[in-house]
Amino acid sequence: VKLLNDALATELVCVLRYKYHALAAQGIHGESVKQEFATHAREEEQHADMLGERISQLGGKPDLNPSGLLTRSATEYAEGGDLREMIEEDLIAERIAIETYRAMIRYFSSHDPTTRQLMETILAKEEEHAQDMHDLLVQQPRR
């Protein structure tokens, strides 16, 4: 349950970061990137819901308390100064989440196959998000 609450915190931080980026993105490519950020925010929120539900199924309590959210999260909340920095921050966060979730999958593989499958589902979407951010990043002009 603790591991899942840490993953829940990670997802909530990702929701907030993507939502901020969707609202703050500007520039020549801003509109199309805003849509991508908004889509990712919704998908991260779905992950948070899935994790919260699994925590409840296991008899735990989903920890949604904003106090200490960043200390429980594997990723940081970074706003980024411009569109390129926002994309970079999201790519870094996705890669951290991917590595964290891979480790969780290895742990759950012998302890809890249902939770392992849940994490594999979330991991697949995180890998897709990382690829999306990478693709957006290579389209951005260098500083």
Side-chain angles (χ1 to χ4, degrees):
V1 170
K2 173 166 180 349
L3 289 174
L4 292 176
N5 265 316
D6 291 349
L8 176 59
T10 299
E11 294 298 322
L12 293 172
V13 169
C14 287
V15 168
L16 294 172
R17 188 181 50 257
Y18 273 125
K19 280 191 175 283
Y20 173 80
H21 290 167
L23 295 169
Q26 296 181 356
I28 193 164
H29 303 286
E31 277 310 309
S32 62
V33 176
K34 278 183 181 211
Q35 296 303 319
E36 194 71 30
F37 289 153
T39 297
H40 286 210
R42 286 189 300 275
E43 291 170 348
E44 301 290 4
E45 187 173 4
Q46 290 171 348
H47 298 166
D49 291 344
M50 294 162 62
L51 289 162
E53 181 65 31
R54 184 64 183 147
I55 291 165
S56 293
Q57 289 169 354
L58 293 171
K61 289 174 44 177
D63 189 351
L64 300 173
N65 188 336
S67 174
L69 186 64
L70 289 172
T71 61
R72 296 187 312 269
S73 173
T75 62
E76 297 179 4
Y77 177 85
E79 293 180 352
D82 60 20
L83 191 57
R84 184 175 184 82
E85 286 179 11
M86 289 177 189
I87 296 168
E88 288 171 347
E89 292 297 339
D90 289 326
L91 178 56
I92 290 166
E94 292 295 352
R95 288 181 174 162
I96 291 168
I98 287 166
E99 290 309 311
T100 301
Y101 295 168
R102 283 181 180 158
M104 290 175 70
I105 289 165
R106 285 190 299 274
Y107 173 78
F108 287 125
S109 67
S110 60
H111 300 293
D112 183 349
T114 302
T115 301
R116 177 188 47 83
Q117 287 177 338
L118 169 66
M119 295 310 300
E120 287 172 344
T121 299
I122 293 172
L123 174 63
K125 189 54 81 169
E126 300 300 348
E127 289 172 337
E128 183 182 310
H129 289 175
Q131 186 62 52
D132 292 345
M133 290 300 105
H134 174 268
D135 293 349
L136 287 172
L137 189 59
V138 298
Q139 296 172 11
Q140 296 302 307
R142 294 244 176 234
R143 291 184 204 113

